Amino acid sequence: MKKADLVLYNNSPYHPGAGALKRVLWYYTNVLFFKSGLFPFYGIKNFLLKLFGAKLGKQVEIKPCVNIKYPWHLTIGDEVWIGENVWIDSLVPIIIGSNICISQGAMLLTGSHNYKKPSFDLITGSVILEDGVWIGAGAIVNQGITVYSHAILTSGSVATKNLEPYTIYQGNPAVKIRTRVIE
């Protein structure tokens, strides 16, 4: 990576993973086909994501009004449902396994800011959702978090640490409330 490829956010060097032209093309594609409620067709959305470098499995359903920052940092497995108004802030890689539900208004955040610095330097960390995870409506998964196999983050909850497998979490910050039993 050349120094000219880096973008300085405050004092933090960051590379978005694509050149300016690709980012501009994605911006308008995202606005027209993903953030808009006027285009509900999954097949074309999946084609466009792949065209911009996303890795997608089979039967990925992306509802209207979903905002995806950079698809080239996005990997999605099979049979994934992404609800309306989900925000996928893929500044760095986000890996979404198979058989996952990301409910309406949920947020997967890969960026934050260092509040200890007056310049609020950018902090990034990948998000990983393992197979069988359910992220409830309006829930937030923060940067650097792994939600392990079949865990649930309930509606409106905020994951500030990794979530154990087969466990249900609730609250802000999310705490373990019980084991998930699949019948």
Side-chain angles (χ1 to χ4, degrees):
M1 176 175 6
K2 297 179 277 183
K3 188 173 182 179
D5 293 334
L6 292 175
V7 179
L8 261 185
Y9 286 94
N10 308 102
N11 292 319
S12 301
Y14 167 74
H15 189 277
L21 178 60
K22 186 174 183 178
R23 292 194 320 265
V24 167
L25 289 172
W26 172 251
Y27 175 84
Y28 288 106
T29 301
N30 190 34
V31 167
L32 292 171
F33 293 97
F34 291 86
K35 289 175 74 172
S36 166
L38 301 174
F39 201 80
F41 309 107
Y42 311 133
I44 295 173
K45 288 180 183 181
N46 292 348
F47 170 78
L48 290 169
L49 284 172
K50 289 177 183 178
L51 186 66
F52 278 91
K55 296 173 187 78
L56 270 67
K58 298 173 186 163
Q59 297 181 354
V60 174
E61 294 186 17
I62 300 172
K63 295 294 189 180
C65 304
V66 171
N67 188 10
I68 300 171
K69 185 68 173 184
Y70 297 140
W72 45 90
H73 288 309
L74 187 58
T75 301
I76 302 176
D78 299 329
E79 298 186 26
V80 173
W81 187 89
I82 300 173
E84 291 89 351
N85 297 307
V86 167
W87 170 216
I88 299 175
D89 182 37
S90 50
L91 292 169
V92 295
I94 290 181
I95 300 170
I96 299 170
S98 295
N99 303 303
I100 288 180
C101 176
I102 303 172
S103 296
Q104 299 86 343
M107 300 171 78
L108 305 180
L109 305 176
T110 61
S112 187
H113 297 277
N114 186 347
Y115 66 87
K116 295 177 182 177
K117 301 233 178 192
S119 55
F120 291 105
D121 294 356
L122 179 67
I123 300 170
T124 59
S126 293
V127 167
I128 300 170
L129 306 181
E130 290 189 348
D131 294 349
V133 164
W134 178 15
I135 305 299
I140 299 172
V141 178
N142 282 301
Q143 85 280 351
I145 301 296
T146 298
V147 181
Y148 288 99
S149 178
H150 296 85
I152 295 174
L153 182 63
T154 63
S155 297
S157 297
V158 180
T160 58
K161 63 179 182 170
N162 293 339
L163 306 186
E164 296 174 13
Y166 290 92
T167 306
I168 300 171
Y169 288 82
Q170 183 176 39
N172 180 8
V175 295
K176 185 186 324 184
I177 58 169
R178 69 177 148 281
T179 300
R180 179 182 181 188
V181 177
I182 299 175
E183 299 174 353

Short mmCIF file of all heavy atoms in Angstrom, two decimals, residues 25-87:
data_model
loop_
_atom_site.label_atom_id
_atom_site.label_comp_id
_atom_site.label_asym_id
_atom_site.label_seq_id
_atom_site.Cartn_x
_atom_site.Cartn_y
_atom_site.Cartn_z
N LEU A 25 -18.65 5.31 -7.09
CA LEU A 25 -19.61 4.45 -7.78
C LEU A 25 -20.46 3.66 -6.79
O LEU A 25 -21.67 3.52 -6.96
CB LEU A 25 -18.90 3.51 -8.75
CG LEU A 25 -18.31 4.14 -10.00
CD1 LEU A 25 -17.47 3.13 -10.77
CD2 LEU A 25 -19.40 4.73 -10.87
N TRP A 26 -19.81 3.13 -5.74
CA TRP A 26 -20.57 2.39 -4.73
C TRP A 26 -21.53 3.31 -3.99
O TRP A 26 -22.66 2.94 -3.71
CB TRP A 26 -19.67 1.67 -3.72
CG TRP A 26 -20.53 1.11 -2.63
CD1 TRP A 26 -20.61 1.54 -1.35
CD2 TRP A 26 -21.52 0.09 -2.78
NE1 TRP A 26 -21.58 0.83 -0.67
CE2 TRP A 26 -22.16 -0.06 -1.53
CE3 TRP A 26 -21.94 -0.71 -3.84
CZ2 TRP A 26 -23.17 -0.98 -1.33
CZ3 TRP A 26 -22.95 -1.62 -3.63
CH2 TRP A 26 -23.56 -1.75 -2.39
N TYR A 27 -21.11 4.51 -3.67
CA TYR A 27 -21.97 5.45 -2.95
C TYR A 27 -23.31 5.60 -3.68
O TYR A 27 -24.38 5.49 -3.07
CB TYR A 27 -21.28 6.81 -2.80
CG TYR A 27 -22.17 7.84 -2.19
CD1 TYR A 27 -22.31 7.94 -0.80
CD2 TYR A 27 -22.91 8.72 -2.99
CE1 TYR A 27 -23.15 8.87 -0.23
CE2 TYR A 27 -23.75 9.65 -2.42
CZ TYR A 27 -23.88 9.73 -1.05
OH TYR A 27 -24.73 10.65 -0.49
N TYR A 28 -23.26 5.85 -4.99
CA TYR A 28 -24.50 6.05 -5.74
C TYR A 28 -25.28 4.75 -5.93
O TYR A 28 -26.50 4.74 -5.91
CB TYR A 28 -24.21 6.75 -7.07
CG TYR A 28 -23.85 8.20 -6.83
CD1 TYR A 28 -22.55 8.65 -6.94
CD2 TYR A 28 -24.82 9.11 -6.42
CE1 TYR A 28 -22.22 9.97 -6.68
CE2 TYR A 28 -24.51 10.43 -6.16
CZ TYR A 28 -23.20 10.85 -6.28
OH TYR A 28 -22.89 12.15 -6.01
N THR A 29 -24.59 3.63 -6.09
CA THR A 29 -25.26 2.34 -6.18
C THR A 29 -25.98 2.04 -4.87
O THR A 29 -27.13 1.58 -4.87
CB THR A 29 -24.23 1.23 -6.50
OG1 THR A 29 -23.60 1.54 -7.74
CG2 THR A 29 -24.89 -0.14 -6.59
N ASN A 30 -25.32 2.29 -3.76
CA ASN A 30 -25.90 2.07 -2.44
C ASN A 30 -27.16 2.93 -2.25
O ASN A 30 -28.20 2.45 -1.81
CB ASN A 30 -24.86 2.38 -1.36
CG ASN A 30 -25.28 1.95 0.02
OD1 ASN A 30 -25.96 0.95 0.21
ND2 ASN A 30 -24.85 2.71 1.01
N VAL A 31 -27.07 4.20 -2.62
CA VAL A 31 -28.20 5.11 -2.48
C VAL A 31 -29.38 4.65 -3.35
O VAL A 31 -30.52 4.61 -2.88
CB VAL A 31 -27.80 6.56 -2.84
CG1 VAL A 31 -29.01 7.46 -3.00
CG2 VAL A 31 -26.85 7.13 -1.80
N LEU A 32 -29.12 4.28 -4.59
CA LEU A 32 -30.19 3.94 -5.52
C LEU A 32 -30.81 2.57 -5.28
O LEU A 32 -32.03 2.41 -5.38
CB LEU A 32 -29.68 4.00 -6.96
CG LEU A 32 -29.33 5.38 -7.49
CD1 LEU A 32 -28.63 5.28 -8.84
CD2 LEU A 32 -30.58 6.23 -7.60
N PHE A 33 -30.00 1.57 -4.96
CA PHE A 33 -30.49 0.20 -4.91
C PHE A 33 -30.65 -0.37 -3.50
O PHE A 33 -31.42 -1.30 -3.31
CB PHE A 33 -29.56 -0.72 -5.71
CG PHE A 33 -29.59 -0.44 -7.17
CD1 PHE A 33 -28.63 0.36 -7.76
CD2 PHE A 33 -30.58 -0.97 -7.97
CE1 PHE A 33 -28.65 0.63 -9.11
CE2 PHE A 33 -30.62 -0.70 -9.34
CZ PHE A 33 -29.65 0.10 -9.90
N PHE A 34 -29.91 0.13 -2.54
CA PHE A 34 -29.93 -0.46 -1.20
C PHE A 34 -30.63 0.42 -0.18
O PHE A 34 -31.54 -0.03 0.51
CB PHE A 34 -28.50 -0.80 -0.75
CG PHE A 34 -27.90 -1.92 -1.53
CD1 PHE A 34 -27.25 -1.69 -2.74
CD2 PHE A 34 -28.01 -3.23 -1.08
CE1 PHE A 34 -26.73 -2.73 -3.48
CE2 PHE A 34 -27.48 -4.28 -1.81
CZ PHE A 34 -26.84 -4.03 -3.02
N LYS A 35 -30.21 1.67 -0.05
CA LYS A 35 -30.82 2.58 0.93
C LYS A 35 -32.24 2.97 0.56
O LYS A 35 -33.03 3.34 1.41
CB LYS A 35 -29.95 3.83 1.10
CG LYS A 35 -28.66 3.55 1.82
CD LYS A 35 -27.76 4.76 1.88
CE LYS A 35 -28.26 5.78 2.86
NZ LYS A 35 -27.30 6.88 3.07
N SER A 36 -32.57 2.85 -0.70
CA SER A 36 -33.89 3.21 -1.18
C SER A 36 -34.90 2.11 -0.90
O SER A 36 -34.57 0.93 -0.90
CB SER A 36 -33.82 3.44 -2.70
OG SER A 36 -35.11 3.48 -3.25
N GLY A 37 -36.13 2.49 -0.68
CA GLY A 37 -37.21 1.53 -0.54
C GLY A 37 -37.85 1.19 -1.86
O GLY A 37 -38.81 0.42 -1.92
N LEU A 38 -37.33 1.72 -2.95
CA LEU A 38 -37.95 1.55 -4.26
C LEU A 38 -37.47 0.32 -5.01
O LEU A 38 -37.98 0.02 -6.08
CB LEU A 38 -37.68 2.79 -5.12
CG LEU A 38 -38.18 4.11 -4.55
CD1 LEU A 38 -37.72 5.27 -5.42
CD2 LEU A 38 -39.69 4.09 -4.42
N PHE A 39 -36.49 -0.40 -4.47
CA PHE A 39 -35.89 -1.51 -5.21
C PHE A 39 -35.81 -2.76 -4.34
O PHE A 39 -34.81 -3.01 -3.69
CB PHE A 39 -34.49 -1.08 -5.68
CG PHE A 39 -34.00 -1.90 -6.82
CD1 PHE A 39 -34.43 -1.65 -8.11
CD2 PHE A 39 -33.14 -2.95 -6.61
CE1 PHE A 39 -33.98 -2.42 -9.17
CE2 PHE A 39 -32.69 -3.72 -7.65
CZ PHE A 39 -33.11 -3.46 -8.94
N PRO A 40 -36.88 -3.59 -4.31
CA PRO A 40 -36.94 -4.72 -3.39
C PRO A 40 -36.36 -6.04 -3.90
O PRO A 40 -36.49 -7.06 -3.24
CB PRO A 40 -38.45 -4.86 -3.16
CG PRO A 40 -39.04 -4.48 -4.46
CD PRO A 40 -38.15 -3.37 -4.99
N PHE A 41 -35.71 -6.07 -5.05
CA PHE A 41 -35.31 -7.32 -5.69
C PHE A 41 -33.96 -7.83 -5.17
O PHE A 41 -32.93 -7.21 -5.38
CB PHE A 41 -35.26 -7.14 -7.21
CG PHE A 41 -36.53 -6.54 -7.75
CD1 PHE A 41 -36.55 -5.22 -8.18
CD2 PHE A 41 -37.70 -7.29 -7.78
CE1 PHE A 41 -37.72 -4.67 -8.66
CE2 PHE A 41 -38.87 -6.73 -8.26
CZ PHE A 41 -38.90 -5.41 -8.69
N TYR A 42 -33.97 -8.99 -4.49
CA TYR A 42 -32.76 -9.53 -3.87
C TYR A 42 -31.69 -9.91 -4.88
O TYR A 42 -30.51 -9.66 -4.66
CB TYR A 42 -33.06 -10.77 -3.04
CG TYR A 42 -34.20 -10.63 -2.08
CD1 TYR A 42 -35.18 -11.62 -2.00
CD2 TYR A 42 -34.32 -9.53 -1.25
CE1 TYR A 42 -36.23 -11.52 -1.11
CE2 TYR A 42 -35.37 -9.42 -0.36
CZ TYR A 42 -36.32 -10.41 -0.30
OH TYR A 42 -37.35 -10.30 0.57
N GLY A 43 -32.11 -10.55 -5.97
CA GLY A 43 -31.14 -11.07 -6.94
C GLY A 43 -30.25 -9.99 -7.51
O GLY A 43 -29.02 -10.17 -7.61
N ILE A 44 -30.83 -8.86 -7.87
CA ILE A 44 -30.04 -7.77 -8.44
C ILE A 44 -29.16 -7.14 -7.37
O ILE A 44 -28.00 -6.79 -7.62
CB ILE A 44 -30.94 -6.75 -9.15
CG1 ILE A 44 -31.59 -7.43 -10.36
CG2 ILE A 44 -30.16 -5.52 -9.57
CD1 ILE A 44 -32.62 -6.63 -11.09
N LYS A 45 -29.68 -7.01 -6.15
CA LYS A 45 -28.86 -6.47 -5.06
C LYS A 45 -27.65 -7.37 -4.81
O LYS A 45 -26.52 -6.89 -4.65
CB LYS A 45 -29.68 -6.34 -3.78
CG LYS A 45 -30.70 -5.23 -3.80
CD LYS A 45 -31.44 -5.21 -2.49
CE LYS A 45 -32.53 -4.16 -2.49
NZ LYS A 45 -33.24 -4.12 -1.20
N ASN A 46 -27.88 -8.68 -4.79
CA ASN A 46 -26.77 -9.61 -4.57
C ASN A 46 -25.76 -9.54 -5.70
O ASN A 46 -24.54 -9.58 -5.46
CB ASN A 46 -27.31 -11.03 -4.40
CG ASN A 46 -28.11 -11.19 -3.12
OD1 ASN A 46 -28.09 -10.34 -2.25
ND2 ASN A 46 -28.84 -12.28 -3.02
N PHE A 47 -26.24 -9.41 -6.94
CA PHE A 47 -25.35 -9.26 -8.08
C PHE A 47 -24.48 -8.01 -7.92
O PHE A 47 -23.26 -8.05 -8.14
CB PHE A 47 -26.15 -9.20 -9.39
CG PHE A 47 -25.32 -8.81 -10.57
CD1 PHE A 47 -24.49 -9.73 -11.19
CD2 PHE A 47 -25.36 -7.50 -11.07
CE1 PHE A 47 -23.71 -9.37 -12.28
CE2 PHE A 47 -24.59 -7.13 -12.15
CZ PHE A 47 -23.76 -8.07 -12.76
N LEU A 48 -25.10 -6.90 -7.55
CA LEU A 48 -24.36 -5.65 -7.38
C LEU A 48 -23.32 -5.76 -6.25
O LEU A 48 -22.20 -5.27 -6.39
CB LEU A 48 -25.32 -4.49 -7.11
CG LEU A 48 -26.18 -4.06 -8.30
CD1 LEU A 48 -27.28 -3.11 -7.84
CD2 LEU A 48 -25.32 -3.44 -9.38
N LEU A 49 -23.70 -6.40 -5.14
CA LEU A 49 -22.73 -6.58 -4.05
C LEU A 49 -21.52 -7.37 -4.53
O LEU A 49 -20.38 -7.00 -4.26
CB LEU A 49 -23.38 -7.28 -2.86
CG LEU A 49 -24.29 -6.43 -2.00
CD1 LEU A 49 -25.01 -7.29 -0.98
CD2 LEU A 49 -23.50 -5.33 -1.30
N LYS A 50 -21.77 -8.45 -5.26
CA LYS A 50 -20.67 -9.27 -5.79
C LYS A 50 -19.82 -8.47 -6.78
O LYS A 50 -18.60 -8.58 -6.79
CB LYS A 50 -21.21 -10.53 -6.45
CG LYS A 50 -21.75 -11.54 -5.45
CD LYS A 50 -22.33 -12.74 -6.19
CE LYS A 50 -22.95 -13.73 -5.23
NZ LYS A 50 -23.56 -14.87 -5.95
N LEU A 51 -20.48 -7.67 -7.60
CA LEU A 51 -19.78 -6.83 -8.56
C LEU A 51 -18.79 -5.89 -7.87
O LEU A 51 -17.71 -5.63 -8.37
CB LEU A 51 -20.79 -6.02 -9.38
CG LEU A 51 -20.26 -5.18 -10.53
CD1 LEU A 51 -19.68 -6.09 -11.63
CD2 LEU A 51 -21.37 -4.31 -11.10
N PHE A 52 -19.16 -5.43 -6.68
CA PHE A 52 -18.30 -4.52 -5.91
C PHE A 52 -17.39 -5.26 -4.93
O PHE A 52 -16.75 -4.64 -4.09
CB PHE A 52 -19.14 -3.47 -5.18
CG PHE A 52 -19.54 -2.32 -6.06
CD1 PHE A 52 -20.72 -2.35 -6.77
CD2 PHE A 52 -18.71 -1.22 -6.19
CE1 PHE A 52 -21.09 -1.29 -7.59
CE2 PHE A 52 -19.06 -0.15 -7.01
CZ PHE A 52 -20.25 -0.19 -7.71
N GLY A 53 -17.33 -6.60 -5.02
CA GLY A 53 -16.34 -7.34 -4.26
C GLY A 53 -16.83 -8.08 -3.03
O GLY A 53 -16.03 -8.71 -2.34
N ALA A 54 -18.12 -8.04 -2.72
CA ALA A 54 -18.64 -8.80 -1.59
C ALA A 54 -18.62 -10.29 -1.92
O ALA A 54 -18.74 -10.68 -3.08
CB ALA A 54 -20.06 -8.36 -1.25
N LYS A 55 -18.47 -11.11 -0.90
CA LYS A 55 -18.55 -12.56 -1.06
C LYS A 55 -19.88 -12.99 -0.45
O LYS A 55 -20.10 -12.80 0.75
CB LYS A 55 -17.38 -13.23 -0.37
CG LYS A 55 -16.03 -12.86 -0.99
CD LYS A 55 -14.89 -13.44 -0.16
CE LYS A 55 -13.56 -12.94 -0.65
NZ LYS A 55 -13.25 -11.59 -0.23
N LEU A 56 -20.77 -13.55 -1.27
CA LEU A 56 -22.11 -13.92 -0.82
C LEU A 56 -22.40 -15.38 -1.09
O LEU A 56 -22.04 -15.90 -2.15
CB LEU A 56 -23.18 -13.10 -1.57
CG LEU A 56 -23.61 -11.79 -0.96
CD1 LEU A 56 -22.51 -10.79 -0.99
CD2 LEU A 56 -24.83 -11.28 -1.66
N GLY A 57 -23.12 -16.01 -0.14
CA GLY A 57 -23.59 -17.37 -0.31
C GLY A 57 -24.93 -17.38 -1.02
O GLY A 57 -25.33 -16.41 -1.66
N LYS A 58 -25.67 -18.46 -0.82
CA LYS A 58 -26.97 -18.64 -1.46
C LYS A 58 -28.08 -18.12 -0.56
O LYS A 58 -27.98 -18.15 0.66
CB LYS A 58 -27.21 -20.13 -1.76
CG LYS A 58 -26.20 -20.71 -2.70
CD LYS A 58 -26.38 -22.20 -2.82
CE LYS A 58 -25.24 -22.77 -3.65
NZ LYS A 58 -25.10 -24.20 -3.49
N GLN A 59 -29.15 -17.67 -1.19
CA GLN A 59 -30.36 -17.23 -0.50
C GLN A 59 -30.09 -16.12 0.52
O GLN A 59 -30.47 -16.22 1.68
CB GLN A 59 -31.09 -18.41 0.14
CG GLN A 59 -31.56 -19.41 -0.88
CD GLN A 59 -32.29 -20.58 -0.27
OE1 GLN A 59 -32.37 -20.73 0.93
NE2 GLN A 59 -32.84 -21.42 -1.13
N VAL A 60 -29.43 -15.08 0.07
CA VAL A 60 -29.23 -13.88 0.88
C VAL A 60 -30.34 -12.90 0.52
O VAL A 60 -30.48 -12.53 -0.64
CB VAL A 60 -27.84 -13.26 0.62
CG1 VAL A 60 -27.69 -11.94 1.36
CG2 VAL A 60 -26.73 -14.24 1.00
N GLU A 61 -31.13 -12.52 1.51
CA GLU A 61 -32.25 -11.60 1.29
C GLU A 61 -31.94 -10.28 1.99
O GLU A 61 -31.81 -10.24 3.22
CB GLU A 61 -33.55 -12.19 1.83
CG GLU A 61 -33.99 -13.42 1.08
CD GLU A 61 -35.35 -13.91 1.52
OE1 GLU A 61 -36.10 -13.14 2.16
OE2 GLU A 61 -35.65 -15.08 1.23
N ILE A 62 -31.84 -9.24 1.20
CA ILE A 62 -31.57 -7.91 1.73
C ILE A 62 -32.81 -7.05 1.50
O ILE A 62 -33.15 -6.75 0.36
CB ILE A 62 -30.33 -7.29 1.08
CG1 ILE A 62 -29.10 -8.18 1.34
CG2 ILE A 62 -30.09 -5.88 1.60
CD1 ILE A 62 -27.87 -7.78 0.60
N LYS A 63 -33.46 -6.68 2.57
CA LYS A 63 -34.68 -5.89 2.50
C LYS A 63 -34.36 -4.45 2.10
O LYS A 63 -33.20 -4.04 2.08
CB LYS A 63 -35.40 -5.92 3.87
CG LYS A 63 -35.89 -7.30 4.24
CD LYS A 63 -36.98 -7.73 3.31
CE LYS A 63 -37.64 -9.00 3.77
NZ LYS A 63 -38.69 -9.43 2.88
N PRO A 64 -35.39 -3.63 1.83
CA PRO A 64 -35.17 -2.23 1.47
C PRO A 64 -34.55 -1.40 2.61
O PRO A 64 -34.65 -1.75 3.78
CB PRO A 64 -36.58 -1.73 1.16
CG PRO A 64 -37.36 -2.94 0.81
CD PRO A 64 -36.78 -4.03 1.67
N CYS A 65 -33.92 -0.32 2.23
CA CYS A 65 -33.38 0.69 3.14
C CYS A 65 -32.21 0.18 3.99
O CYS A 65 -32.03 0.60 5.13
CB CYS A 65 -34.48 1.28 4.03
SG CYS A 65 -35.84 1.98 3.09
N VAL A 66 -31.41 -0.72 3.43
CA VAL A 66 -30.21 -1.21 4.10
C VAL A 66 -29.03 -0.37 3.63
O VAL A 66 -28.88 -0.13 2.43
CB VAL A 66 -29.99 -2.71 3.79
CG1 VAL A 66 -28.64 -3.18 4.31
CG2 VAL A 66 -31.12 -3.54 4.40
N ASN A 67 -28.19 0.07 4.56
CA ASN A 67 -27.03 0.90 4.23
C ASN A 67 -25.77 0.06 4.41
O ASN A 67 -25.52 -0.44 5.51
CB ASN A 67 -27.00 2.13 5.13
CG ASN A 67 -25.94 3.12 4.72
OD1 ASN A 67 -25.33 3.01 3.65
ND2 ASN A 67 -25.71 4.11 5.56
N ILE A 68 -24.99 -0.09 3.35
CA ILE A 68 -23.75 -0.87 3.40
C ILE A 68 -22.60 0.06 3.04
O ILE A 68 -22.57 0.63 1.95
CB ILE A 68 -23.81 -2.06 2.42
CG1 ILE A 68 -24.98 -2.98 2.81
CG2 ILE A 68 -22.48 -2.82 2.42
CD1 ILE A 68 -25.28 -4.06 1.80
N LYS A 69 -21.64 0.23 3.96
CA LYS A 69 -20.54 1.16 3.75
C LYS A 69 -19.64 0.74 2.58
O LYS A 69 -19.56 1.44 1.59
CB LYS A 69 -19.73 1.30 5.04
CG LYS A 69 -18.63 2.33 4.98
CD LYS A 69 -19.16 3.72 4.86
CE LYS A 69 -18.04 4.74 4.98
NZ LYS A 69 -18.54 6.09 4.97
N TYR A 70 -18.93 -0.39 2.72
CA TYR A 70 -18.01 -0.85 1.68
C TYR A 70 -18.23 -2.34 1.46
O TYR A 70 -17.78 -3.16 2.26
CB TYR A 70 -16.55 -0.61 2.07
CG TYR A 70 -16.17 0.84 2.25
CD1 TYR A 70 -15.33 1.23 3.28
CD2 TYR A 70 -16.61 1.83 1.37
CE1 TYR A 70 -14.95 2.56 3.44
CE2 TYR A 70 -16.24 3.15 1.52
CZ TYR A 70 -15.41 3.51 2.56
OH TYR A 70 -15.03 4.82 2.71
N PRO A 71 -18.88 -2.74 0.36
CA PRO A 71 -19.17 -4.16 0.15
C PRO A 71 -17.93 -5.03 -0.03
O PRO A 71 -17.99 -6.23 0.23
CB PRO A 71 -20.03 -4.16 -1.12
CG PRO A 71 -19.71 -2.89 -1.81
CD PRO A 71 -19.37 -1.90 -0.73
N TRP A 72 -16.82 -4.46 -0.45
CA TRP A 72 -15.61 -5.25 -0.63
C TRP A 72 -15.05 -5.75 0.70
O TRP A 72 -14.18 -6.60 0.71
CB TRP A 72 -14.55 -4.48 -1.42
CG TRP A 72 -14.36 -3.06 -0.98
CD1 TRP A 72 -13.48 -2.61 -0.03
CD2 TRP A 72 -15.05 -1.91 -1.48
NE1 TRP A 72 -13.60 -1.24 0.10
CE2 TRP A 72 -14.55 -0.79 -0.79
CE3 TRP A 72 -16.03 -1.72 -2.44
CZ2 TRP A 72 -15.02 0.50 -1.02
CZ3 TRP A 72 -16.49 -0.45 -2.67
CH2 TRP A 72 -15.98 0.65 -1.98
N HIS A 73 -15.58 -5.27 1.81
CA HIS A 73 -15.19 -5.77 3.14
C HIS A 73 -16.25 -6.71 3.72
O HIS A 73 -16.24 -6.99 4.92
CB HIS A 73 -15.01 -4.61 4.12
CG HIS A 73 -13.79 -3.79 3.89
ND1 HIS A 73 -12.53 -4.33 3.76
CD2 HIS A 73 -13.63 -2.45 3.78
CE1 HIS A 73 -11.66 -3.35 3.58
NE2 HIS A 73 -12.29 -2.20 3.58
N LEU A 74 -17.17 -7.18 2.90
CA LEU A 74 -18.33 -7.93 3.39
C LEU A 74 -18.33 -9.37 2.88
O LEU A 74 -18.20 -9.61 1.69
CB LEU A 74 -19.60 -7.21 2.94
CG LEU A 74 -20.94 -7.70 3.46
CD1 LEU A 74 -21.00 -7.67 4.98
CD2 LEU A 74 -22.06 -6.86 2.88
N THR A 75 -18.48 -10.31 3.82
CA THR A 75 -18.64 -11.73 3.50
C THR A 75 -19.92 -12.21 4.17
O THR A 75 -20.09 -12.01 5.38
CB THR A 75 -17.44 -12.56 4.01
OG1 THR A 75 -16.24 -12.07 3.40
CG2 THR A 75 -17.61 -14.03 3.69
N ILE A 76 -20.81 -12.82 3.39
CA ILE A 76 -22.10 -13.30 3.90
C ILE A 76 -22.28 -14.75 3.46
O ILE A 76 -22.12 -15.07 2.29
CB ILE A 76 -23.28 -12.44 3.37
CG1 ILE A 76 -23.10 -10.97 3.77
CG2 ILE A 76 -24.60 -12.98 3.89
CD1 ILE A 76 -24.16 -10.04 3.20
N GLY A 77 -22.67 -15.62 4.40
CA GLY A 77 -22.90 -17.04 4.12
C GLY A 77 -24.25 -17.29 3.49
O GLY A 77 -24.88 -16.39 2.91
N ASP A 78 -24.74 -18.52 3.63
CA ASP A 78 -26.00 -18.95 3.04
C ASP A 78 -27.19 -18.66 3.96
O ASP A 78 -27.05 -18.69 5.18
CB ASP A 78 -25.97 -20.46 2.77
CG ASP A 78 -24.89 -20.87 1.79
OD1 ASP A 78 -24.56 -20.07 0.90
OD2 ASP A 78 -24.38 -22.00 1.92
N GLU A 79 -28.34 -18.43 3.33
CA GLU A 79 -29.61 -18.26 4.03
C GLU A 79 -29.52 -17.19 5.13
O GLU A 79 -29.73 -17.45 6.31
CB GLU A 79 -30.09 -19.59 4.59
CG GLU A 79 -30.36 -20.59 3.49
CD GLU A 79 -30.97 -21.88 3.97
OE1 GLU A 79 -31.65 -21.88 5.01
OE2 GLU A 79 -30.77 -22.90 3.29
N VAL A 80 -29.22 -15.99 4.69
CA VAL A 80 -29.11 -14.83 5.59
C VAL A 80 -30.21 -13.84 5.23
O VAL A 80 -30.45 -13.55 4.06
CB VAL A 80 -27.72 -14.17 5.47
CG1 VAL A 80 -27.65 -12.88 6.27
CG2 VAL A 80 -26.64 -15.15 5.93
N TRP A 81 -30.86 -13.33 6.26
CA TRP A 81 -31.93 -12.34 6.10
C TRP A 81 -31.49 -11.06 6.78
O TRP A 81 -31.14 -11.06 7.97
CB TRP A 81 -33.22 -12.88 6.74
CG TRP A 81 -34.42 -12.04 6.49
CD1 TRP A 81 -35.29 -12.15 5.44
CD2 TRP A 81 -34.93 -11.00 7.33
NE1 TRP A 81 -36.29 -11.22 5.57
CE2 TRP A 81 -36.09 -10.49 6.72
CE3 TRP A 81 -34.51 -10.42 8.53
CZ2 TRP A 81 -36.84 -9.46 7.27
CZ3 TRP A 81 -35.24 -9.39 9.07
CH2 TRP A 81 -36.41 -8.93 8.43
N ILE A 82 -31.49 -9.96 6.02
CA ILE A 82 -31.09 -8.65 6.54
C ILE A 82 -32.29 -7.72 6.42
O ILE A 82 -32.75 -7.42 5.32
CB ILE A 82 -29.87 -8.10 5.79
CG1 ILE A 82 -28.68 -9.06 5.96
CG2 ILE A 82 -29.52 -6.71 6.28
CD1 ILE A 82 -27.47 -8.72 5.13
N GLY A 83 -32.83 -7.29 7.56
CA GLY A 83 -34.06 -6.52 7.61
C GLY A 83 -33.91 -5.06 7.23
O GLY A 83 -32.80 -4.53 7.05
N GLU A 84 -35.07 -4.40 7.12
CA GLU A 84 -35.12 -2.99 6.75
C GLU A 84 -34.31 -2.13 7.73
O GLU A 84 -34.26 -2.39 8.91
CB GLU A 84 -36.57 -2.48 6.76
CG GLU A 84 -37.44 -3.04 5.66
CD GLU A 84 -38.13 -4.35 6.05
OE1 GLU A 84 -37.81 -4.91 7.12
OE2 GLU A 84 -38.97 -4.82 5.28
N ASN A 85 -33.70 -1.11 7.17
CA ASN A 85 -32.97 -0.09 7.93
C ASN A 85 -31.77 -0.62 8.71
O ASN A 85 -31.36 -0.02 9.71
CB ASN A 85 -33.92 0.68 8.87
CG ASN A 85 -34.96 1.43 8.10
OD1 ASN A 85 -34.64 2.20 7.20
ND2 ASN A 85 -36.23 1.19 8.41
N VAL A 86 -31.20 -1.74 8.28
CA VAL A 86 -29.97 -2.24 8.90
C VAL A 86 -28.81 -1.39 8.38
O VAL A 86 -28.77 -1.00 7.22
CB VAL A 86 -29.76 -3.73 8.58
CG1 VAL A 86 -28.36 -4.20 8.94
CG2 VAL A 86 -30.80 -4.57 9.32
N TRP A 87 -27.85 -1.10 9.26
CA TRP A 87 -26.65 -0.33 8.90
C TRP A 87 -25.46 -1.24 9.06
O TRP A 87 -25.15 -1.67 10.17
CB TRP A 87 -26.57 0.90 9.78
CG TRP A 87 -25.34 1.77 9.79
CD1 TRP A 87 -24.84 2.40 10.88
CD2 TRP A 87 -24.48 2.16 8.70
NE1 TRP A 87 -23.72 3.14 10.54
CE2 TRP A 87 -23.49 3.01 9.20
CE3 TRP A 87 -24.47 1.85 7.36
CZ2 TRP A 87 -22.48 3.56 8.41
CZ3 TRP A 87 -23.46 2.40 6.56
CH2 TRP A 87 -22.49 3.25 7.09
#
